[in-house]
Amino acid sequence: MNKQIILAGIIAAQCASAVFGQASKDEIVDLTQVPQISETPEQRDARMQWFRDAKLGMFIHWGPVSVAGTEISWSRKAARPWDQDRPDHPNPARKRTEDPVYDNYYKEFNPTKFDADKWAQIAKENGFKYAVVVTKHHDGFSMFDSKVTDYDIMSGPYKRDIIKQFADAFHKQGIRLGLYYSKKDWYHPDYLQGDNAKYDQWYRKQIEELLTNYGPVSVLWFDNIGGRDWGRWRFDELFSMMYRLQPGLLVNNRVKFQGPKTPEDRGPASPEIETMTKGDFTTPEGVIGAFKIDQDWESCLHFGRGWAYRGEKGSFKKPDDVIRMLVSAVTGGGNLLLNFGPRPDGTIADHEYEAAQALGNWLKKNGQAIYGTRGGPYRNGIWGGSSHKGDKLYLHLFQWQNKGWSFDPLPCVVKSARTLAGSKVEFAQSEKAFSIQLPKTDFQSPSTVIELTLDQPIKDGLVVGGIHGEDLSEHGKILSENATLELSSQSQRDKGEHQRLFRGPRAKHGTAFETENEKNPWAKIDLGGVRNVKAVVIENKPANQHSEGLILSVSTDGQKWREVWKAESWDLSWTIPLTTYDAGADVPGRKARYFKVETKGDTARPLILQRFTAYGE
């Protein structure tokens, strides 16, 4: 069927009917059934409860681009109208252009080994409580049987509705279904052209298909639009239709714009529209969200080099990293949406499957400290974090401490303490602190969970402080509080709060500095004088993989450097003892004033770290 005929039919039908309740361009439809506007706090809590309890979701980025093993949408070598023009392909008119290679991958996409039931079984067995699958990404290709476009899964050799198979399989396993939909569309000829009316009506028809044909949909996961002109979008008609079709739907915070304001921006038509388009939860991408237990959030992260399938070689997050990512999200008050990029034949990549199994095995032993809990009352960090449910408080410990762990005092009495593996834990409680001791033989990596039984429940949203610090006294006092920093470059995303690298509260998302993309980005730290440094602690940005292969060098004069350490793999933090070879032995301490932290690679990447601490005399 000809696409122009399809589009013309949609526009004519919508102009002639009241499907979306639109009488004129400036009239807002009835929004009384939209929960973000009408619900009470109690009703919101009830609507959000399953999401707050679920903690772990499966994200699935898949499409014809998997046959090339390149990134979904962003590897398309064509214009990105109203979003981000390619530097090597300027497009001042913001018109759609084609990529004759990328745009035809769908003719080769034939995932004959795809088994949705197996995917759902993997999700079920390994602890995923909901799944969000990409239905259409920025490249405009629809992975479902859409009646309003020829650029969909039915036009290639496979000719079966992939989203229908996912929906049926996950519903059968009792896993809630979420649908990702990009309102950006770099393929569609009408995207943000003129008053955008044709595209606005077209994509809403696709949303109607998705919310009608696939059973209960728990999450609609949007991914922004270009420009800033509210007048080009009927958000009121969108939300009215969404909640007419799926009253219990949750929606993320990416319904609206990404990018700078445009000259024609006239703002939202009403405060209600601005309120509802904030959605139900925020979506930190590529990082674990900052500790925030009074707001619903969900971190979305992928295993390796990108969202879609990028081959079997490269740097991938290890199973222990994935477990700590989940714990960090949960103790910080959020969820983890962990992304999988299926192979072009529809099977799951080995490294993803192995990490999912490790996560599932860990959850079988420790899931009671994850599911149904709430974050806090202790602020999480590199030490781990806390979660609570009923009269149980769970401490998730990432790192062994010889002298035990000491925390700010609790507002209740601890009656007993044990590891979830069953070992008894010694504890002490006073008005000044709560502390625990654990034999090293009972500590298990990547996260040991301590269950505290309390005389009363912890209130949701309560914050009582945090850990009293790592036991690094054996290395001396902190020498770096007044250090200064020099960077090889400074990213536009860098907030410039570089003193946070050495002291004070961490910046948002734990980022102290970020360089531009370079093959050899570096940071130089100056203590201000030569000191006897016994140890250095480098804290990574959570979930940041760019620091793999990190190198630490020291110097007394800033000219002659000596490499003293290299990180072979990613970690949350590194404690690096510094020694000097003297009289046939390594003795603690090394004379140093300057430190250089760098990373090297074949491809350009940024250096991103959140804290550097030097200890000594």
Side-chain angles (χ1 to χ4, degrees), residues 10-11 14-15 22 25 190-204 231-234:
I10 295 169
I11 295 168
Q14 292 189 350
C15 289
Q22 179 177 342
K25 185 172 180 61
D190 295 323
Y191 174 60
L192 280 174
Q193 297 303 305
D195 63 3
N196 196 48
K198 288 184 179 181
Y199 180 78
D200 187 37
Q201 292 173 346
W202 178 86
Y203 96 81
R204 279 191 278 112
R232 292 182 174 185
W233 304 91
R234 292 301 306 234

Side-chain angles (χ1 to χ4, degrees), residues 21-56:
Q22 179 177 342
S24 69
K25 185 172 180 61
D26 296 321
E27 180 180 344
I28 298 173
V29 302
D30 182 11
L31 298 174
T32 56
Q33 298 304 311
V34 174
Q36 292 86 1
I37 296 174
S38 61
E39 67 189 352
T40 64
E42 293 75 19
Q43 289 171 328
R44 172 177 167 78
D45 287 342
R47 189 167 62 92
M48 296 299 299
Q49 181 169 341
W50 78 261
F51 181 82
R52 295 170 180 170
D53 290 346
K55 303 306 180 187
L56 178 61

Side-chain angles (χ1 to χ4, degrees), residues 422-436:
S423 301
K424 185 178 178 181
V425 175
E426 298 296 329
F427 67 93
Q429 188 171 14
S430 69
E431 293 181 355
K432 295 183 178 180
F434 171 76
S435 59
I436 58 173

Side-chain angles (χ1 to χ4, degrees), residues 59-90:
F59 213 3
I60 302 169
H61 277 68
W62 195 26
V65 71
S66 63
V67 303
T70 59
E71 188 57 283
I72 191 167
S73 298
W74 296 97
S75 63
R76 183 174 183 265
K77 295 179 172 61
R80 300 166 183 168
W82 288 99
D83 289 304
Q84 181 182 347
D85 292 329
R86 296 171 55 84
D88 59 343
H89 195 129

Side-chain angles (χ1 to χ4, degrees), residues 378-384 397 399-408 432-437 465-474 478 506 537 539 573 575 611 613 615:
Y378 292 124
R379 295 185 180 277
N380 62 353
I382 63 171
W383 66 271
L397 307 175
Q399 298 175 328
W400 165 253
Q401 292 199 177
N402 186 50
K403 295 184 179 180
W405 296 261
S406 180
F407 301 88
D408 288 318
K432 295 183 178 180
F434 171 76
S435 59
I436 58 173
Q437 289 281 346
I467 196 168
H468 283 174
E470 291 184 294
D471 182 14
L472 295 171
S473 58
E474 62 181 291
I478 295 176
R506 293 179 176 86
V537 177
E539 297 179 33
S573 69
T575 299
R611 191 171 293 248
T613 310
Y615 294 84

Side-chain angles (χ1 to χ4, degrees), residues 152-453:
D152 69 352
I153 192 64
M154 307 307 288
S155 299
Y158 188 64
K159 298 188 184 305
R160 293 178 59 195
D161 190 330
I162 282 176
I163 303 305
K164 177 66 172 172
Q165 295 177 67
F166 267 118
D168 291 346
F170 282 99
H171 285 146
K172 190 186 305 181
Q173 291 289 351
I175 299 172
R176 288 181 176 265
L177 177 68
L179 300 178
Y180 167 108
Y181 186 90
S182 172
K183 294 164 71 177
K184 291 181 181 181
D185 197 317
W186 301 330
Y187 181 87
H188 199 289
D190 295 323
Y191 174 60
L192 280 174
Q193 297 303 305
D195 63 3
N196 196 48
K198 288 184 179 181
Y199 180 78
D200 187 37
Q201 292 173 346
W202 178 86
Y203 96 81
R204 279 191 278 112
K205 186 62 180 177
Q206 284 208 314
I207 298 298
E208 185 176 20
E209 291 177 328
L210 291 170
L211 297 183
T212 302
N213 299 334
Y214 300 98
V217 178
S218 295
V219 176
L220 194 52
W221 214 101
F222 286 112
D223 205 359
N224 293 319
I225 48 180
R228 298 284 301 190
D229 187 0
W230 291 79
R232 292 182 174 185
W233 304 91
R234 292 301 306 234
F235 294 112
D236 56 336
E237 295 186 351
L238 171 65
F239 273 73
S240 177
M241 177 262 290
M242 286 179 353
Y243 285 101
R244 172 174 57 82
L245 297 174
Q246 299 276 351
L249 189 70
L250 301 187
V251 62
N252 67 340
N253 65 328
R254 301 192 187 190
V255 181
K256 51 184 189 301
F257 307 100
Q258 181 183 49
K261 289 187 176 182
T262 54
E264 63 271 35
D265 184 4
R266 60 180 181 177
S270 72
E272 291 79 11
I273 289 179
E274 184 172 22
T275 295
M276 71 187 185
T277 53
K278 292 179 181 178
D280 298 310
F281 59 94
T282 60
T283 54
E285 180 175 332
V287 297
I288 299 298
F291 180 85
K292 195 171 184 64
I293 60 176
D294 59 351
Q295 176 181 306
D296 296 297
W297 58 269
E298 172 195 73
S299 282
C300 52
L301 296 104
H302 51 70
F303 282 97
R305 292 181 292 163
W307 295 102
Y309 178 72
R310 302 287 294 276
E312 310 290 321
K313 296 181 179 180
S315 174
F316 302 107
K317 295 178 178 66
K318 297 176 176 60
D320 283 2
D321 300 336
V322 175
I323 292 168
R324 286 194 293 259
M325 283 160 47
L326 174 62
V327 171
S328 295
V330 171
T331 59
N335 288 9
L336 175 65
L337 187 61
L338 185 61
N339 183 72
F340 294 72
R343 296 180 178 118
D345 64 4
T347 58
I348 185 171
D350 291 345
H351 65 274
E352 294 178 349
Y353 181 68
E354 291 165 3
Q357 279 194 313
L359 181 59
N361 290 335
W362 186 88
L363 283 167
K364 288 178 177 69
K365 300 174 182 177
N366 300 281
Q368 67 192 75
I370 298 294
Y371 300 119
T373 65
R374 300 295 181 264
Y378 292 124
R379 295 185 180 277
N380 62 353
I382 63 171
W383 66 271
S386 64
S387 59
H388 64 91
K389 176 171 55 180
D391 65 350
K392 305 296 185 184
L393 171 59
Y394 301 98
L395 301 175
H396 303 255
L397 307 175
F398 290 166
Q399 298 175 328
W400 165 253
Q401 292 199 177
N402 186 50
K403 295 184 179 180
W405 296 261
S406 180
F407 301 88
D408 288 318
L410 289 166
C412 50
V413 175
V414 178
K415 298 166 64 176
S416 64
R418 69 178 187 99
T419 68
L420 286 190
S423 301
K424 185 178 178 181
V425 175
E426 298 296 329
F427 67 93
Q429 188 171 14
S430 69
E431 293 181 355
K432 295 183 178 180
F434 171 76
S435 59
I436 58 173
Q437 289 281 346
L438 184 68
K440 192 169 186 178
T441 53
D442 291 334
F443 186 84
Q444 298 178 347
S445 184
S447 179
T448 295
V449 183
I450 309 296
E451 178 191 77
L452 308 179
T453 300

